[in-house]
Amino acid sequence: TWIPESPEVFVDVADYTHVENGPVIFLSGHNTCYTLDKTGGRHGLLYERRQPVDGTNPEKLKASLKTLLEHAARVEGDATFKTPPKFLAGDLKFIVNNRGIAPNNDGTFAALKPELAALLDGVYGSGQYTLEREQDPRQRFMVHVKAKASVTVAEALAKLG
């Protein structure tokens, strides 16, 4: 149902339900990709923006988080699942998939942290989450966000506005 209802033109769709502890469904479009995942036996949703967007970094961060949460809410409410997955909105990984503009180092983290913290303060509350950067410089820049309290997708979306 996602394909005909989406403004995105998907160029690849793959069903990996036969793979244990890995991707389940993959939708690849020109502008965005979505992957429903079950790595480690836990459901996750990956939203990947593939094309540049206009706006400031804080606007882009907010738009990305909002889009991810909106799609997570849609998956949670999708009646085609026997048991729809539930996501932990307080456990996120923020990844910049461009090593040229965001090398995985302390400088990138220092530059991004204030903008990311301003966004997350509004969702989880100031000081109510931790940020941990992926330390391996061979990996993409990634920050693991963990809220100190349980947060549902609906609660995070409501706070995000």
Side-chain angles (χ1 to χ4, degrees), residues 14-33:
D15 180 346
Y16 293 102
T17 52
H18 62 283
V19 176
E20 189 175 329
N21 289 323
V24 178
I25 302 289
F26 174 70
L27 297 173
S28 176
H30 176 71
N31 295 307
T32 57
C33 291

Side-chain angles (χ1 to χ4, degrees), residues 72-81 84-86:
R74 184 173 177 187
V75 171
E76 288 183 342
D78 192 327
T80 59
F81 290 99
K86 292 291 182 193

